[in-house]
Amino acid sequence: MAKKPAILTDEEIIAKVSAKSTNSVSWFDSRLAKERERVTRYINGDLPKRTSEGSSSYVSSDVYDSVEMQKAQLLEVFAGGDHIAQFDPDQDMNAELCRVATEYASYVIFRANPGYNIFSSVIYDGLTARAGVAKVYWEKKHTYSEETFGPISYEEAHALAAQDDVDSFDADLDPATGGFSGTLTRKKDVSKTCIDPIAPEEFLIEPLATCILDASYCGHRTPKTRAELIEMGIKKSIVMKLPTDDAADLKFSPEVLARTHATHSNDASDEPIDKMMEYVVVYESYVRMQIDSSKGVRLYKILHAGNMLLEEPEEVDKAPFLAYVPLPLPHVFYGHNFAARVIHTQNARTVLFRGVLDHTAITTNPRYAVVNGGLMNPRELLDNRLGGIVNVRRPDSVAPFQQNQLNPYIFQVLGTLTENNEKSTGISMLSQGLNKDAISTQNSRGLVDDMQKASGGRAKIMARNFAFNFLVPLMLEVVRLGIIYKDKRVIQVAGADLQVDAEAWTERTTCTVSQHLGYGEKDSAANELGLGYKEMAQDPIVSNMMGQKGRYEMLHDIAKLKGFTRFSAYLDPNAQPPGPDPLKTRELDIKEKAVEASMASVNVKQAADNRLYAATQSKLEQGAAKLHLDALNADRTNDRQDADTAARIQLGEEELDVEREKIAATERTAALNAAAKAAQPKASPGA
């Protein structure tokens, strides 16, 4: 079938789209750009300027404080890693697939992309530029790695070259070994969903649009180098013809200079080091128009720069932009500017504080009236050196001017300005925990919590606007892109692998958002749920009605509210119902063993006592026997000693008798000898 001719030529398409983009740019540059520049300068402390040279240069920081405090409260809720939004099961997706889809969306937002920085940028732009915009798209990207191999056989080389991830294969036969050696390049698909915050001056939308989804024109203009365009696949001959005039206007616009005043050189004439590094403003426009005669009005993506199309128009189903508007207005895309509503407070507080500081300076260093010729050296008074001497010609030569007293209502006005600012922004001292009068011992903790919740009502509305108008569409878009591009991967969730197969999902149109969006509301809900769990667990009837699954789910909800993300790693929901309570059984066993041990101890003690009694009795009997034996031994010893004594006496007497006999015998012998001798006759001398 022959292709029907297009209604519009390339020249006509670029003319119409350029007119749309120019109209959007001129309107934004004349209105919103000036407002954004002014707000940025107030945040930086450049405004309001001082009225005269020499006066105080103090600048109040009301705009900065209000924006940062509001951003901190919103980031506390949405960037803490909790599942604020989740997909609910229906007839197309069961609970497990919805859980996987929720984990996948959280993985893409916070791990595959810098979710915290994205949310911070979008919230900041929403508070200071009426709307924060992010671009969500699928980026096709591959990485290449080179490997060497060999020597291998022909079959192994053929099998290696046939692998799916091998992009190029170069092998040579080695005659010495008979094998093949060479190099190969592996191609790895690292395509993913990208989420990029867009600077306010780079986002375009038609002035009368109410939302991005229904806008007939919206776009993204961004400066890109010629080298980047060539890497995108655009012909070099086209790229080198593109003008660079608009790039300087965009890169050095007043709001960009105000935002980057601390680091920017403000030199628009800075020449690039190479022609390929010159910047060109590229417009990625999404416009509703009829290009093909066989179709009606469709949404087309048109990439152009200057007056040239860089790619063929591509029909798309939606523009890849999501916006967060903190203070929306009905029937218009841009809402109120949160930061701009604090400018008047900063101006008033700055003027009043400068007046107080100037009055203090003048009171400390007053002006003097000097009589003409009354000073010997006027320099002595002009130097005003501490403790210095001023030589005067007359006592009345110098007199200070009379200074009016400080207006006593200044500090009351400052208090009134603070109250008005709290009403305008919804950020109060109480919501920041800085009201010492409310946080005191006289007020209960519950009363203080209630007062903080009430004071943060407007912040909750901004949080719900972020949840329903940015976070939910973001999760839906992440899942939709995963389904379109059939994303398959394994992600890590709570320390375990989770298989993701987006092709098995159905396109989601709804997403449930947690209602606990206020600061401290999750802890309060967790405590109340924990009290309810304890009360139901104590009631036997209700406890049986809860069952194991109900207990697990209730504990899981409490853990989620408390911020414990790895709850499933601690408890097993599929565990079998428990039998007898092992703790109670163990306690009974311990008690029985304790009784048995006690009885055994008593028996052992009784046996020990019996043995001790028997031993004592035996010792007593042995002692008595010993005493008896000792008495017998003593008697026997005495008898033996008496007998020995008697025997010795008798023996002595006998020995004495023997000695007496011996003496008597000796005496008789001597007598006989003497008698004999006497009886012998005496011989004569001559015989």
Side-chain angles (χ1 to χ4, degrees), residues 435-582:
N435 191 329
K436 61 180 179 61
D437 295 329
I439 305 175
S440 63
T441 56
Q442 297 178 359
N443 297 328
S444 65
R445 180 176 180 179
L447 178 60
V448 173
D449 291 341
D450 293 340
M451 294 170 67
Q452 288 182 339
K453 291 177 182 178
S455 65
R458 185 169 296 180
K460 294 179 186 178
I461 296 300
M462 291 186 185
R464 282 175 169 77
N465 287 337
F466 186 87
F468 290 103
N469 298 329
F470 184 83
L471 179 60
V472 169
L474 177 61
M475 294 187 64
L476 294 174
E477 184 65 13
V478 167
V479 170
R480 188 183 75 90
L481 291 175
I483 295 173
I484 292 175
Y485 294 97
K486 302 177 182 179
D487 193 9
K488 293 183 180 180
R489 67 179 68 195
V490 177
I491 62 177
Q492 290 282 331
V493 177
D497 293 339
L498 182 64
Q499 181 66 44
V500 174
D501 185 6
E503 192 175 3
W505 304 339
T506 59
E507 186 171 349
R508 309 298 297 174
T509 58
T510 59
C511 186
T512 303
V513 178
S514 171
Q515 295 301 312
H516 304 292
L517 299 179
Y519 184 79
E521 287 192 2
K522 285 200 236 180
D523 290 337
S524 177
N527 294 334
E528 293 178 0
L529 194 59
L531 292 175
Y533 176 83
K534 290 181 180 179
E535 293 178 358
M536 289 187 288
Q538 292 174 357
D539 190 330
I541 299 177
V542 179
S543 178
N544 292 331
M545 294 171 61
M546 288 177 66
Q548 181 182 359
K549 188 176 186 304
R551 289 172 179 267
Y552 176 84
E553 294 296 333
M554 200 165 184
L555 291 173
H556 184 266
D557 291 341
I558 295 174
K560 280 177 58 180
L561 292 171
K562 286 291 187 181
F564 297 105
T565 58
R566 298 186 68 249
F567 176 80
S568 58
Y570 308 140
L571 299 180
D572 183 9
N574 300 319
Q576 296 298 325
D581 191 348

Side-chain angles (χ1 to χ4, degrees), residues 256-400:
V256 174
L257 295 179
R259 186 169 61 242
T260 60
H261 77 292
T263 57
H264 211 293
S265 63
N266 296 343
D267 187 5
S269 62
D270 187 18
E271 292 293 335
I273 59 175
D274 188 82
K275 189 173 181 61
M276 297 298 294
M277 299 305 296
E278 291 179 341
Y279 280 94
V280 176
V281 177
V282 178
Y283 290 81
E284 183 179 329
S285 299
Y286 293 84
V287 58
R288 297 184 185 276
M289 59 192 308
Q290 185 177 10
I291 295 178
D292 196 334
S293 60
S294 63
K295 301 178 181 179
V297 175
R298 297 288 190 271
L299 180 65
Y300 290 93
K301 172 189 173 183
I302 299 176
L303 191 67
H304 62 100
N307 58 352
M308 301 180 65
L309 285 176
L310 303 181
E311 293 178 355
E312 290 295 326
E314 177 187 357
E315 184 178 345
V316 294
D317 53 354
K318 62 185 299 186
F321 304 114
L322 296 175
Y324 166 55
V325 182
L327 302 174
L329 286 173
H331 317 304
V332 292
F333 173 74
Y334 286 99
H336 290 294
N337 192 314
F338 175 86
R341 303 187 70 83
V342 194
I343 289 179
H344 64 279
T345 301
Q346 181 163 325
N347 286 334
R349 289 172 65 87
T350 299
V351 171
L352 292 176
F353 266 104
R354 285 177 179 175
V356 174
L357 295 175
D358 289 342
H359 183 273
T360 303
I362 293 174
T363 304
T364 305
N365 299 283
R367 298 179 65 189
Y368 293 94
V370 181
V371 176
N372 188 15
L375 296 178
M376 299 181 63
N377 185 4
R379 175 62 60 184
E380 294 174 348
L381 184 62
L382 293 175
D383 290 343
N384 198 15
R385 182 168 58 87
L386 185 64
I389 297 175
V390 179
N391 295 292
V392 298
R393 300 182 185 279
R394 296 167 45 187
D396 58 346
S397 297
V398 179

Side-chain angles (χ1 to χ4, degrees), residues 33 63 105 204 387 505 628 653 682:
V63 177
L204 307 174
W505 304 339
H628 181 66
E653 290 178 351
K682 295 183 181 181

